[in-house]
Amino acid sequence: MKFKNALKIAVPVFSVLLVAAAFSFTQKDNDPVEKLVASLQKWTETQPQEKVYLHTDKPYYMVGDTIWFKAYVTIGSKHQLSALSGAVYVDLYNEADSLAKSLKLPLIAGMTKGSFVLPDSSSRDGNYRIRAYTQWMRNSDPAFFYDKILRVGNSVANTVFCKINYEYSKDGSKDVVTAVLTYSNDKGEALSNRKVDYALLENGYEKVFSGNKETDNYGQLKIKLQGGKSGKLQDKHLTAKLQTREKEIVIKEFAIKSISTQTDVQFFRKVVL
């Protein structure tokens, strides 16, 4: 009798559990978020993302030096050395943000090494940029490329170094981009309380705006960038003139790269190169 009563209770409970499980699976299958996550997971597994890392022998260089570097190409979220690509491309851009040299280096187990010579005859001091990528990485956004700015000085005529970074903020609904200039000497010491005259130029000579400030205790000064009539910052140059203790004027020029303060989510189709 007790067995029959227990069986009567167990059957409907088991039925409820089956319905709940079926409903749960149905809900999961119909959940658009779950489908999107599953699709992204599948895409990540079938289209792994490569990344390039460069390790240079020095943080800054002089005209006439050689930039020695090692390159590592990794793949996936665990950053394992990649066997997908057989070569890595390394580009060197000069102070005008123009391509100066380009290398195609063979990869062995995801690693390689190379160098760029900065000859006295053709190199100038300024901020150089190294960009590295593989052909496979060109299927994705260039934002995944390795991109680093290197300072190059002239040991004879110049011991002032300057690097540029960017800060992003909002003024109501308006995006604000601020250039942060950091000045130091050849020993890495901050050049504080130095007067700097600056100007943003477009088309090589047309002035968008200008002003002057002093560097702070860390050798930094901040300049809010304005796009001018076009409202765009691309293809513009920032010129900064620092006055040394010896009343000498040191001029630095920075090519303003394409800058975006908004998150950009896109889906790409694979391009076979």
Side-chain angles (χ1 to χ4, degrees):
M1 193 69 174
K2 290 182 179 181
F3 176 76
K4 289 183 178 180
N5 291 334
L7 186 60
K8 289 181 179 179
I9 296 173
V11 170
V13 170
F14 182 69
S15 300
V16 170
L17 290 175
L18 283 177
V19 172
F23 179 77
S24 175
F25 282 115
T26 303
Q27 286 291 95
K28 185 175 181 181
D29 290 341
N30 293 331
D31 189 345
V33 176
E34 291 289 344
K35 287 185 177 180
L36 179 60
V37 171
S39 298
L40 288 174
Q41 180 68 29
K42 184 178 180 180
W43 185 88
T44 302
E45 293 173 354
T46 57
Q47 306 290 333
Q49 179 62 55
E50 283 189 323
K51 293 182 180 179
V52 181
Y53 300 91
L54 259 63
H55 178 70
T56 55
D57 60 326
K58 292 191 295 185
Y60 62 86
Y61 297 86
M62 296 293 181
V63 172
D65 282 351
T66 299
I67 302 174
W68 296 95
F69 62 85
K70 289 183 179 180
Y72 306 87
V73 179
T74 66
I75 194 168
S77 59
K78 296 183 179 180
H79 303 288
Q80 296 174 324
L81 290 173
S82 176
L84 182 62
S85 295
V88 63
Y89 297 81
V90 186
D91 299 334
L92 179 67
Y93 289 82
N94 60 22
E95 72 287 346
D97 209 35
S98 298
L99 182 63
K101 296 181 180 180
S102 184
L103 298 174
K104 179 182 178 181
L105 301 173
L107 288 167
I108 300 176
M111 297 182 292
T112 190
K113 58 184 178 180
S115 63
F116 288 112
V117 179
L118 302 170
D120 295 316
S121 58
S122 59
S123 298
R124 295 175 51 192
D125 64 313
N127 286 278
Y128 284 63
R129 187 162 62 94
I130 287 185
R131 191 177 73 152
Y133 54 92
T134 65
Q135 286 283 42
W136 179 264
M137 291 173 64
R138 295 179 67 182
N139 291 313
S140 302
D141 194 285
F144 288 106
F145 292 6
Y146 177 88
D147 201 321
K148 181 180 179 181
I149 294 176
L150 294 176
R151 296 177 295 170
V152 176
N154 189 318
S155 59
V156 177
N158 179 30
T159 57
V160 175
F161 293 89
C162 184
K163 66 178 181 179
I164 187 170
N165 290 304
Y166 300 98
E167 292 181 351
Y168 308 98
S169 60
K170 285 277 189 180
D171 183 6
S173 60
K174 184 180 179 181
D175 295 322
V176 179
V177 181
T178 302
V180 182
L181 304 185
T182 304
Y183 284 91
S184 61
N185 60 20
D186 55 350
K187 297 179 182 178
E189 299 167 339
L191 297 179
S192 58
N193 306 118
R194 305 297 208 280
K195 181 182 177 182
V196 178
D197 295 308
Y198 57 85
L200 187 68
L201 307 176
E202 61 181 352
N203 301 323
Y205 62 91
E206 296 179 12
K207 185 181 295 185
V208 178
F209 70 87
S210 62
N212 61 75
K213 287 184 177 181
E214 282 193 358
T215 58
D216 61 16
N217 293 334
Y218 301 99
Q220 290 188 346
L221 62 90
K222 298 184 178 182
I223 304 169
K224 287 187 178 181
L225 301 179
Q226 304 168 15
K229 294 181 180 179
S230 67
K232 298 179 180 179
L233 293 173
Q234 294 91 332
D235 302 322
K236 291 181 172 60
H237 284 73
L238 180 66
T239 299
K241 301 178 181 179
L242 178 139
Q243 187 174 13
T244 67
R245 298 296 190 199
E246 294 76 23
K247 304 300 181 181
E248 295 179 353
I249 302 298
V250 178
I251 302 175
K252 301 292 183 181
E253 293 186 357
F254 306 92
I256 306 299
K257 297 191 300 178
S258 299
I259 298 172
S260 174
T261 60
Q262 298 180 354
T263 302
D264 183 17
V265 179
Q266 302 180 52
F267 293 92
F268 298 89
R269 296 182 64 183
K270 178 182 175 183
V271 178
V272 180
L273 299 174

